[in-house]
């Protein structure tokens, strides 16, 4: 493992601050003016950060060996730090180290830690792979009890990663890319798109974070699918007036978006910047998302498949219509549709008329009849601003005597 240091808020030079032997980067946390990091069997620290810091790779020794899984998370909690090391939760209160402050049931190992309300949530799994078991547990500990205060059973698979969003526990669970909100009960809110039924996908515990009020998820860790789009996904809503949804806003800087050797290992939102630690085959790097950067050259919004709750019946598509803020020079909006789950969208001509607030796509007669229809809007720019879509709708006939809009 290596610890890197960046100057000038991440925009300057990156250097190797420490090569840490017997480590695969299991966990890291800053607390009380020290940087703590886990190795296979020890806890190291670096500090004081405000002075002339030095490294102590064996600050605490004798930890359970986590070299097989590579996960030994650290979380600042109340007055100390909690360290997940296999079946035990270690605890350092600033003075005393306790190797087994909380002991989990036999067979369960700690993979991820998060703070929710007055509790430390401890996400546990069986084995060393998300495909090893369909059983997981989340334990809750108040920081003072002699064991965990309570636990909840997770019958959907391993607890891969957790984050507190708006005082709700958001988690990636199991091997199918499923995302859950809460725990009493668990509510499945989404699934990472394009993962085939017979394939698996893992989210690493360090690859989930809050930034700008939204959950950010690094997709993915280990996987065996070449169809899944890799990068950073968002979940949430920018306003309470809108439904919470899944978005795919950031790809890594190499441009690679698919393949089983693309990994997102770490995400961290720091102020106005988001850092993305990635691997692309044999190349490793860190990307930095900043608020003053230009937008992507293009982005796409896709609607759900629409069948008017009558998938077996013919309908007639008439016009796709998008409304948007007045286009400025360099901006364009292009509409497209898929009839009955076609392999690709049929797109119209891009509207780049400066000042335009509406884009329309009349559906050709040959494509009007449909059982199911899906539509998209492609927002493109060559400048420093991107089009702002305000609505996207379909005018259609239901062929039972009325005309509707979806």
């Amino acid at each position: 493992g290596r610890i890197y240091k960046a100057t000038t808020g991440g925009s300057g030079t990156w250097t190797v601050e420490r090569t840490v032997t017997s480590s695969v980067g299991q966990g890291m946390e800053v607390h009380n003016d020290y940087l703590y990091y886990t190795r296979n069997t020890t806890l190291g620290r670096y500090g004081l950060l405000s002075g002339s810091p030095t490294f102590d790779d064996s600050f605490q020794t004798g930890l359970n060996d986590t070299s097989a899984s590579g996960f030994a998370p650290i979380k600042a909690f109340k007055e100390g730090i909690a360290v997940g090391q296999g079946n035990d939760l270690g605890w350092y209160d600033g003075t005393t180290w306790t190797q087994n402050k909380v002991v989990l049931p036999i067979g369960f190992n700690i993979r991820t830690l998060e703070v929710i309300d007055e509790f430390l949530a401890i996400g546990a799994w069986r084995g060393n792979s998300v495909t090893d078991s369909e059983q997981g547990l989340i334990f809750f500990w108040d920081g003072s009890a002699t064991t965990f205060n309570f636990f909840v059973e997770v019958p959907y698979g391993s607890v891969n990663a957790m984050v507190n969003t708006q005082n709700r526990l958001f988690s990636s669970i199991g091997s199918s890319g499923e995302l859950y909100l809460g725990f009493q009960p668990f509510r499945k809110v989404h699934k990472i798109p394009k993962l085939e039924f017979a394939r698996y996908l893992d989210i690493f515990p360090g690859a989930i974070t809050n930034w700008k009020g939204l959950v950010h998820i690094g997709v993915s860790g280990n996987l065996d699918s070449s169809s899944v789009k890799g990068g950073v996904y968002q979940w949430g809503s920018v306003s309470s007036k809108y439904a919470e949804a899944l978005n795919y806003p950031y790809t890594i800087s190499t441009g690679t978006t698919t393949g089983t050797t693309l990994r997102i290992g770490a995400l961290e939102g720091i102020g106005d910047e988001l850092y993305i630690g990635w691997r692309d085959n044999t190349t490793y790097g860190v990307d930095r998302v900043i608020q003053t950067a230009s937008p992507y050259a293009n982005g796409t919004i896709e609607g759900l498949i629409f069948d008017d709750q009558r998938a077996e019946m013919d309908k007639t598509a008439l016009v796709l219509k998008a409304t948007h803020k007045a286009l400025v020079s360099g901006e364009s909006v292009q509409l497209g549709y898929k009839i009955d789950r076609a392999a690709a969208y049929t797109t119209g001509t891009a509207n780049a008329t400066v000042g335009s607030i509406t884009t329309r796509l009349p559906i050709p007669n040959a494509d009007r009849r449909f059982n199911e229809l899906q539509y998209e809007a492609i927002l493109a720019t060559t400048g420093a601003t991107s089009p702002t879509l305000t609505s996207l709708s379909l005018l259609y006939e239901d062929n039972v005597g009325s005309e509707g809009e979806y």
Side-chain angles (χ1 to χ4, degrees), residues 62-384:
L63 277 68
N64 296 329
D65 191 350
T66 55
S67 57
S69 70
F71 300 128
I74 311 174
K75 190 69 177 180
F77 177 56
K78 295 187 174 179
E79 73 279 4
I81 58 167
V83 181
Q85 15 120 22
N87 191 246
D88 292 337
L89 181 78
W91 176 248
Y92 181 64
D93 62 6
T95 303
T96 303
W97 165 256
T98 305
Q99 161 73 16
N100 51 357
K101 189 70 174 180
V102 176
V103 180
L104 271 57
I106 295 173
F108 285 94
N109 293 314
I110 298 170
R111 177 175 165 124
T112 178
L113 301 172
E114 183 57 297
V115 176
I116 184 80
D117 294 329
E118 71 271 30
F119 294 102
L120 178 72
I122 305 166
W125 64 333
R126 287 184 181 272
N128 294 311
S129 169
V130 294
T131 58
D132 283 348
S133 174
E134 283 296 297
Q135 185 181 21
L137 290 170
I138 302 178
F139 302 87
F140 295 83
W141 180 58
D142 64 8
S144 58
T146 56
T147 185
F148 50 86
N149 299 80
F150 67 98
F151 69 92
V152 291
E153 182 85 16
V154 184
Y156 316 112
S158 63
V159 184
N160 304 326
M162 301 185 299
V163 70
N164 183 339
T165 178
Q166 299 180 22
N167 207 37
R168 303 169 300 173
L169 195 65
F170 184 92
S171 53
S172 163
I173 294 176
S175 60
S176 299
E178 294 180 339
L179 306 173
Y180 289 82
L181 186 65
F183 57 90
Q184 289 181 331
F186 288 95
R187 180 168 66 90
K188 184 164 67 175
V189 295
H190 223 294
K191 179 179 178 178
I192 300 301
K194 300 184 183 298
L195 181 67
E196 304 93 332
F197 178 77
R199 302 297 180 178
Y200 71 88
L201 179 152
D202 189 5
I203 303 296
F204 285 155
I208 189 167
T209 190
N210 280 301
W211 189 56
K212 299 295 181 182
L214 300 171
V215 175
H216 287 69
I217 308 149
V219 176
S220 79
N222 299 306
L223 81 162
D224 65 348
S225 169
S226 295
S227 299
V228 172
K229 293 286 188 180
V232 178
Y233 287 71
Q234 289 174 336
W235 184 86
S237 173
V238 297
S239 169
S240 60
K241 296 179 180 179
Y242 300 116
E244 292 174 305
L246 190 70
N247 184 32
Y248 175 49
Y250 306 118
T251 58
I252 65 172
S253 54
T254 65
T256 300
T257 58
T258 58
T260 58
T261 58
L262 171 60
R263 299 284 189 275
I264 305 294
L267 291 179
E268 184 68 21
I270 305 175
D272 283 341
E273 300 177 342
L274 175 69
Y275 290 86
I276 307 166
W278 52 263
R279 168 194 166 189
D280 186 359
N281 199 2
T282 59
T283 301
Y284 295 79
V286 176
D287 288 343
R288 185 171 65 106
V289 179
I290 59 175
Q291 299 298 291
T292 56
S294 296
Y296 277 99
N298 57 73
T300 302
I301 181 170
E302 294 183 346
L304 299 175
I305 293 175
F306 171 66
D307 62 12
D308 198 27
Q309 298 183 352
R310 298 180 303 120
E312 76 286 359
M313 301 294 292
D314 271 354
K315 281 80 64 177
T316 303
L318 301 175
V319 179
L320 280 177
K321 177 182 177 182
T323 60
H324 38 79
K325 290 185 178 180
L327 299 178
V328 302
S329 179
E331 294 181 350
S332 67
V333 175
Q334 184 179 19
L335 301 181
Y337 60 89
K338 286 197 293 188
I339 298 294
D340 295 338
R341 308 198 184 209
Y345 282 95
T346 299
T347 56
T349 302
N351 174 19
T353 303
V354 173
S356 172
I357 60 172
T358 303
T359 299
R360 294 169 57 88
L361 174 58
I363 309 299
N365 287 335
D367 287 344
R368 285 190 169 184
R369 304 292 289 221
F370 73 94
N371 292 92
E372 298 177 323
L373 185 144
Q374 188 174 15
Y375 51 76
E376 68 171 359
I378 302 170
L379 313 178
T381 182
T382 59

Side-chain angles (χ1 to χ4, degrees), residues 5 17 33-35 45-55:
K5 179 179 179 180
E17 194 75 0
D33 208 25
Y34 284 93
L35 171 69
R45 78 173 183 178
Y46 175 60
L48 295 163
L49 298 176
S50 59
S52 299
T54 58
F55 282 93

